[in-house]
PDB file of all heavy atoms in Angstrom:
ATOM      1  N   LEU A 125      98.237  97.878 114.574  1.00 96.00           N
ATOM      2  CA  LEU A 125      96.935  97.361 114.697  1.00 96.00           C
ATOM      3  C   LEU A 125      96.784  96.147 113.802  1.00 96.00           C
ATOM      4  O   LEU A 125      96.888  96.297 112.585  1.00 96.00           O
ATOM      5  CB  LEU A 125      95.899  98.414 114.381  1.00 96.00           C
ATOM      6  CG  LEU A 125      95.905  99.642 115.285  1.00 96.00           C
ATOM      7  CD1 LEU A 125      94.979 100.725 114.763  1.00 96.00           C
ATOM      8  CD2 LEU A 125      95.571  99.277 116.730  1.00 96.00           C
ATOM      9  N   ALA A 126      96.492  95.019 114.400  1.00 93.00           N
ATOM     10  CA  ALA A 126      96.440  93.759 113.603  1.00 93.00           C
ATOM     11  C   ALA A 126      95.267  92.887 114.117  1.00 93.00           C
ATOM     12  O   ALA A 126      95.363  91.648 114.093  1.00 93.00           O
ATOM     13  CB  ALA A 126      97.739  92.977 113.614  1.00 93.00           C
ATOM     14  N   GLY A 127      94.200  93.506 114.584  1.00 79.00           N
ATOM     15  CA  GLY A 127      93.138  92.755 115.213  1.00 79.00           C
ATOM     16  C   GLY A 127      91.814  92.768 114.494  1.00 79.00           C
ATOM     17  O   GLY A 127      90.827  92.272 115.006  1.00 79.00           O
ATOM     18  N   GLY A 128      91.774  93.322 113.298  1.00 60.00           N
ATOM     19  CA  GLY A 128      90.547  93.432 112.549  1.00 60.00           C
ATOM     20  C   GLY A 128      90.031  92.036 112.131  1.00 60.00           C
ATOM     21  O   GLY A 128      90.832  91.075 112.066  1.00 60.00           O
ATOM     22  N   LEU A 129      88.787  92.003 111.842  1.00 50.00           N
ATOM     23  CA  LEU A 129      88.170  90.701 111.432  1.00 50.00           C
ATOM     24  C   LEU A 129      88.456  90.326 109.981  1.00 50.00           C
ATOM     25  O   LEU A 129      88.243  89.187 109.592  1.00 50.00           O
ATOM     26  CB  LEU A 129      86.710  90.705 111.707  1.00 50.00           C
ATOM     27  CG  LEU A 129      86.312  90.831 113.203  1.00 50.00           C
ATOM     28  CD1 LEU A 129      84.780  90.988 113.334  1.00 50.00           C
ATOM     29  CD2 LEU A 129      86.791  89.642 114.009  1.00 50.00           C
ATOM     30  N   SER A 130      88.856  91.271 109.190  1.00 50.00           N
ATOM     31  CA  SER A 130      89.223  91.056 107.782  1.00 50.00           C
ATOM     32  C   SER A 130      88.093  90.355 106.968  1.00 50.00           C
ATOM     33  O   SER A 130      88.323  89.464 106.168  1.00 50.00           O
ATOM     34  CB  SER A 130      90.486  90.149 107.682  1.00 50.00           C
ATOM     35  OG  SER A 130      91.567  90.757 108.345  1.00 50.00           O
ATOM     36  N   ARG A 131      86.887  90.744 107.256  1.00 48.00           N
ATOM     37  CA  ARG A 131      85.702  90.125 106.549  1.00 48.00           C
ATOM     38  C   ARG A 131      85.786  90.248 105.040  1.00 48.00           C
ATOM     39  O   ARG A 131      85.625  89.260 104.352  1.00 48.00           O
ATOM     40  CB  ARG A 131      84.424  90.793 107.045  1.00 48.00           C
ATOM     41  CG  ARG A 131      84.050  90.359 108.449  1.00 48.00           C
ATOM     42  CD  ARG A 131      82.679  90.983 108.827  1.00 48.00           C
ATOM     43  NE  ARG A 131      82.526  90.895 110.253  1.00 48.00           N
ATOM     44  CZ  ARG A 131      82.645  91.933 111.083  1.00 48.00           C
ATOM     45  NH1 ARG A 131      82.963  93.105 110.653  1.00 48.00           N
ATOM     46  NH2 ARG A 131      82.521  91.774 112.395  1.00 48.00           N
ATOM     47  N   ARG A 132      86.056  91.466 104.541  1.00 51.00           N
ATOM     48  CA  ARG A 132      86.127  91.618 103.061  1.00 51.00           C
ATOM     49  C   ARG A 132      87.344  90.978 102.505  1.00 51.00           C
ATOM     50  O   ARG A 132      87.314  90.538 101.356  1.00 51.00           O
ATOM     51  CB  ARG A 132      86.122  93.118 102.729  1.00 51.00           C
ATOM     52  CG  ARG A 132      84.777  93.802 102.972  1.00 51.00           C
ATOM     53  CD  ARG A 132      84.886  95.271 102.674  1.00 51.00           C
ATOM     54  NE  ARG A 132      85.619  95.914 103.790  1.00 51.00           N
ATOM     55  CZ  ARG A 132      85.939  97.152 103.907  1.00 51.00           C
ATOM     56  NH1 ARG A 132      85.622  98.028 102.901  1.00 51.00           N
ATOM     57  NH2 ARG A 132      86.547  97.689 104.937  1.00 51.00           N
ATOM     58  N   PHE A 133      88.422  90.901 103.291  1.00 50.00           N
ATOM     59  CA  PHE A 133      89.651  90.354 102.776  1.00 50.00           C
ATOM     60  C   PHE A 133      89.576  88.799 102.738  1.00 50.00           C
ATOM     61  O   PHE A 133      90.216  88.219 101.874  1.00 50.00           O
ATOM     62  CB  PHE A 133      90.834  90.762 103.714  1.00 50.00           C
ATOM     63  CG  PHE A 133      92.154  90.606 103.131  1.00 50.00           C
ATOM     64  CD1 PHE A 133      92.630  91.476 102.146  1.00 50.00           C
ATOM     65  CD2 PHE A 133      92.975  89.554 103.544  1.00 50.00           C
ATOM     66  CE1 PHE A 133      93.872  91.336 101.634  1.00 50.00           C
ATOM     67  CE2 PHE A 133      94.225  89.422 103.008  1.00 50.00           C
ATOM     68  CZ  PHE A 133      94.695  90.250 102.039  1.00 50.00           C
ATOM     69  N   GLY A 134      88.917  88.203 103.683  1.00 51.00           N
ATOM     70  CA  GLY A 134      88.753  86.755 103.639  1.00 51.00           C
ATOM     71  C   GLY A 134      89.697  85.927 104.494  1.00 51.00           C
ATOM     72  O   GLY A 134      89.413  84.774 104.763  1.00 51.00           O
ATOM     73  N   SER A 135      90.775  86.570 104.970  1.00 57.00           N
ATOM     74  CA  SER A 135      91.712  85.910 105.901  1.00 57.00           C
ATOM     75  C   SER A 135      92.381  87.012 106.691  1.00 57.00           C
ATOM     76  O   SER A 135      92.349  88.186 106.296  1.00 57.00           O
ATOM     77  CB  SER A 135      92.718  85.055 105.102  1.00 57.00           C
ATOM     78  OG  SER A 135      93.468  85.893 104.225  1.00 57.00           O
ATOM     79  N   PRO A 136      93.087  86.673 107.781  1.00 78.00           N
ATOM     80  CA  PRO A 136      93.726  87.723 108.576  1.00 78.00           C
ATOM     81  C   PRO A 136      94.723  88.537 107.741  1.00 78.00           C
ATOM     82  O   PRO A 136      95.662  87.936 107.212  1.00 78.00           O
ATOM     83  CB  PRO A 136      94.400  86.950 109.702  1.00 78.00           C
ATOM     84  CG  PRO A 136      93.655  85.672 109.829  1.00 78.00           C
ATOM     85  CD  PRO A 136      93.243  85.367 108.426  1.00 78.00           C
ATOM     86  N   LYS A 137      94.508  89.816 107.591  1.00 83.00           N
ATOM     87  CA  LYS A 137      95.346  90.655 106.785  1.00 83.00           C
ATOM     88  C   LYS A 137      96.794  90.687 107.270  1.00 83.00           C
ATOM     89  O   LYS A 137      97.712  90.795 106.446  1.00 83.00           O
ATOM     90  CB  LYS A 137      94.819  92.097 106.707  1.00 83.00           C
ATOM     91  CG  LYS A 137      93.564  92.267 105.988  1.00 83.00           C
ATOM     92  CD  LYS A 137      93.229  93.715 105.888  1.00 83.00           C
ATOM     93  CE  LYS A 137      91.742  94.023 106.023  1.00 83.00           C
ATOM     94  NZ  LYS A 137      91.451  95.442 105.992  1.00 83.00           N
ATOM     95  N   ALA A 138      97.046  90.590 108.500  1.00 89.00           N
ATOM     96  CA  ALA A 138      98.337  90.670 109.083  1.00 89.00           C
ATOM     97  C   ALA A 138      99.275  89.619 108.421  1.00 89.00           C
ATOM     98  O   ALA A 138     100.478  89.832 108.223  1.00 89.00           O
ATOM     99  CB  ALA A 138      98.371  90.436 110.590  1.00 89.00           C
ATOM    100  N   PHE A 139      98.693  88.491 107.960  1.00 90.00           N
ATOM    101  CA  PHE A 139      99.446  87.377 107.400  1.00 90.00           C
ATOM    102  C   PHE A 139      99.301  87.213 105.897  1.00 90.00           C
ATOM    103  O   PHE A 139      99.742  86.242 105.328  1.00 90.00           O
ATOM    104  CB  PHE A 139      99.122  86.087 108.159  1.00 90.00           C
ATOM    105  CG  PHE A 139      99.458  86.208 109.648  1.00 90.00           C
ATOM    106  CD1 PHE A 139      98.469  86.543 110.575  1.00 90.00           C
ATOM    107  CD2 PHE A 139     100.759  86.076 110.069  1.00 90.00           C
ATOM    108  CE1 PHE A 139      98.813  86.729 111.919  1.00 90.00           C
ATOM    109  CE2 PHE A 139     101.081  86.247 111.404  1.00 90.00           C
ATOM    110  CZ  PHE A 139     100.068  86.587 112.351  1.00 90.00           C
ATOM    111  N   ALA A 140      98.746  88.247 105.294  1.00 89.00           N
ATOM    112  CA  ALA A 140      98.827  88.297 103.836  1.00 89.00           C
ATOM    113  C   ALA A 140     100.238  88.674 103.474  1.00 89.00           C
ATOM    114  O   ALA A 140     100.992  89.215 104.270  1.00 89.00           O
ATOM    115  CB  ALA A 140      97.813  89.323 103.317  1.00 89.00           C
ATOM    116  N   LYS A 141     100.625  88.382 102.236  1.00 90.00           N
ATOM    117  CA  LYS A 141     101.995  88.644 101.810  1.00 90.00           C
ATOM    118  C   LYS A 141     102.142  89.638 100.654  1.00 90.00           C
ATOM    119  O   LYS A 141     101.269  89.671  99.758  1.00 90.00           O
ATOM    120  CB  LYS A 141     102.670  87.312 101.424  1.00 90.00           C
ATOM    121  CG  LYS A 141     103.111  86.483 102.576  1.00 90.00           C
ATOM    122  CD  LYS A 141     104.013  85.376 102.145  1.00 90.00           C
ATOM    123  CE  LYS A 141     104.758  84.853 103.340  1.00 90.00           C
ATOM    124  NZ  LYS A 141     105.855  83.944 102.966  1.00 90.00           N
ATOM    125  N   ILE A 142     103.204  90.380 100.714  1.00 89.00           N
ATOM    126  CA  ILE A 142     103.704  91.203  99.579  1.00 89.00           C
ATOM    127  C   ILE A 142     105.089  90.649  99.363  1.00 89.00           C
ATOM    128  O   ILE A 142     105.980  90.724 100.189  1.00 89.00           O
ATOM    129  CB  ILE A 142     103.772  92.690  99.955  1.00 89.00           C
ATOM    130  CG1 ILE A 142     102.418  93.278 100.077  1.00 89.00           C
ATOM    131  CG2 ILE A 142     104.601  93.409  98.946  1.00 89.00           C
ATOM    132  CD1 ILE A 142     102.428  94.758 100.358  1.00 89.00           C
ATOM    133  N   GLY A 143     105.247  90.025  98.211  1.00 91.00           N
ATOM    134  CA  GLY A 143     106.531  89.336  97.961  1.00 91.00           C
ATOM    135  C   GLY A 143     106.707  88.259  98.990  1.00 91.00           C
ATOM    136  O   GLY A 143     105.872  87.375  99.216  1.00 91.00           O
ATOM    137  N   ASP A 144     107.841  88.301  99.659  1.00 94.00           N
ATOM    138  CA  ASP A 144     108.178  87.313 100.678  1.00 94.00           C
ATOM    139  C   ASP A 144     107.794  87.727 102.099  1.00 94.00           C
ATOM    140  O   ASP A 144     108.015  87.026 103.062  1.00 94.00           O
ATOM    141  CB  ASP A 144     109.696  87.026 100.689  1.00 94.00           C
ATOM    142  CG  ASP A 144     110.121  86.298  99.369  1.00 94.00           C
ATOM    143  OD1 ASP A 144     109.252  85.595  98.773  1.00 94.00           O
ATOM    144  OD2 ASP A 144     111.290  86.487  99.016  1.00 94.00           O
ATOM    145  N   ASP A 145     107.250  88.992 102.261  1.00 95.00           N
ATOM    146  CA  ASP A 145     106.996  89.507 103.583  1.00 95.00           C
ATOM    147  C   ASP A 145     105.525  89.557 103.893  1.00 95.00           C
ATOM    148  O   ASP A 145     104.672  89.907 103.038  1.00 95.00           O
ATOM    149  CB  ASP A 145     107.538  90.944 103.675  1.00 95.00           C
ATOM    150  CG  ASP A 145     109.052  91.025 103.536  1.00 95.00           C
ATOM    151  OD1 ASP A 145     109.745  90.149 104.114  1.00 95.00           O
ATOM    152  OD2 ASP A 145     109.545  91.944 102.843  1.00 95.00           O
ATOM    153  N   TYR A 146     105.202  89.225 105.149  1.00 94.00           N
ATOM    154  CA  TYR A 146     103.856  89.414 105.639  1.00 94.00           C
ATOM    155  C   TYR A 146     103.562  90.902 105.757  1.00 94.00           C
ATOM    156  O   TYR A 146     104.464  91.682 106.039  1.00 94.00           O
ATOM    157  CB  TYR A 146     103.650  88.751 107.008  1.00 94.00           C
ATOM    158  CG  TYR A 146     103.723  87.231 106.944  1.00 94.00           C
ATOM    159  CD1 TYR A 146     104.687  86.555 107.655  1.00 94.00           C
ATOM    160  CD2 TYR A 146     102.737  86.505 106.287  1.00 94.00           C
ATOM    161  CE1 TYR A 146     104.768  85.167 107.610  1.00 94.00           C
ATOM    162  CE2 TYR A 146     102.752  85.085 106.248  1.00 94.00           C
ATOM    163  CZ  TYR A 146     103.795  84.460 106.947  1.00 94.00           C
ATOM    164  OH  TYR A 146     103.811  83.080 106.930  1.00 94.00           O
ATOM    165  N   PHE A 147     102.312  91.291 105.639  1.00 94.00           N
ATOM    166  CA  PHE A 147     101.911  92.664 105.829  1.00 94.00           C
ATOM    167  C   PHE A 147     102.418  93.182 107.210  1.00 94.00           C
ATOM    168  O   PHE A 147     102.959  94.269 107.279  1.00 94.00           O
ATOM    169  CB  PHE A 147     100.379  92.838 105.824  1.00 94.00           C
ATOM    170  CG  PHE A 147      99.725  92.844 104.438  1.00 94.00           C
ATOM    171  CD1 PHE A 147     100.401  92.357 103.347  1.00 94.00           C
ATOM    172  CD2 PHE A 147      98.440  93.219 104.327  1.00 94.00           C
ATOM    173  CE1 PHE A 147      99.741  92.372 102.102  1.00 94.00           C
ATOM    174  CE2 PHE A 147      97.788  93.245 103.103  1.00 94.00           C
ATOM    175  CZ  PHE A 147      98.446  92.809 101.995  1.00 94.00           C
ATOM    176  N   TYR A 148     102.225  92.415 108.285  1.00 96.00           N
ATOM    177  CA  TYR A 148     102.611  92.879 109.572  1.00 96.00           C
ATOM    178  C   TYR A 148     104.118  93.104 109.633  1.00 96.00           C
ATOM    179  O   TYR A 148     104.580  94.045 110.350  1.00 96.00           O
ATOM    180  CB  TYR A 148     102.188  91.912 110.713  1.00 96.00           C
ATOM    181  CG  TYR A 148     103.100  90.825 111.012  1.00 96.00           C
ATOM    182  CD1 TYR A 148     104.220  91.001 111.830  1.00 96.00           C
ATOM    183  CD2 TYR A 148     102.908  89.586 110.406  1.00 96.00           C
ATOM    184  CE1 TYR A 148     105.111  89.918 112.074  1.00 96.00           C
ATOM    185  CE2 TYR A 148     103.814  88.516 110.647  1.00 96.00           C
ATOM    186  CZ  TYR A 148     104.895  88.729 111.482  1.00 96.00           C
ATOM    187  OH  TYR A 148     105.763  87.690 111.746  1.00 96.00           O
ATOM    188  N   GLU A 149     104.903  92.309 108.909  1.00 97.00           N
ATOM    189  CA  GLU A 149     106.395  92.509 108.913  1.00 97.00           C
ATOM    190  C   GLU A 149     106.765  93.851 108.297  1.00 97.00           C
ATOM    191  O   GLU A 149     107.622  94.581 108.822  1.00 97.00           O
ATOM    192  CB  GLU A 149     107.054  91.393 108.181  1.00 97.00           C
ATOM    193  CG  GLU A 149     106.994  90.074 108.893  1.00 97.00           C
ATOM    194  CD  GLU A 149     107.549  88.912 108.055  1.00 97.00           C
ATOM    195  OE1 GLU A 149     107.254  88.813 106.838  1.00 97.00           O
ATOM    196  OE2 GLU A 149     108.271  88.066 108.688  1.00 97.00           O
ATOM    197  N   LYS A 150     106.120  94.204 107.163  1.00 97.00           N
ATOM    198  CA  LYS A 150     106.340  95.473 106.519  1.00 97.00           C
ATOM    199  C   LYS A 150     106.005  96.636 107.462  1.00 97.00           C
ATOM    200  O   LYS A 150     106.803  97.599 107.577  1.00 97.00           O
ATOM    201  CB  LYS A 150     105.522  95.585 105.227  1.00 97.00           C
ATOM    202  CG  LYS A 150     105.821  94.528 104.218  1.00 97.00           C
ATOM    203  CD  LYS A 150     107.168  94.651 103.615  1.00 97.00           C
ATOM    204  CE  LYS A 150     107.123  95.401 102.328  1.00 97.00           C
ATOM    205  NZ  LYS A 150     108.446  95.520 101.699  1.00 97.00           N
ATOM    206  N   VAL A 151     104.863  96.561 108.104  1.00 97.00           N
ATOM    207  CA  VAL A 151     104.405  97.621 108.981  1.00 97.00           C
ATOM    208  C   VAL A 151     105.323  97.695 110.209  1.00 97.00           C
ATOM    209  O   VAL A 151     105.714  98.810 110.672  1.00 97.00           O
ATOM    210  CB  VAL A 151     102.941  97.449 109.344  1.00 97.00           C
ATOM    211  CG1 VAL A 151     102.497  98.426 110.434  1.00 97.00           C
ATOM    212  CG2 VAL A 151     102.048  97.580 108.082  1.00 97.00           C
TER     213      VAL A 151
END
Side-chain angles (χ1 to χ4, degrees):
L125 298 173
L129 295 175
S130 305
R131 287 183 196 104
R132 290 177 284 178
F133 196 76
S135 62
K137 290 187 218 178
F139 299 98
K141 283 194 162 188
I142 289 183
D144 293 333
D145 296 319
Y146 291 116
F147 282 15
Y148 86 84
E149 291 173 317
K150 300 291 265 182
V151 172

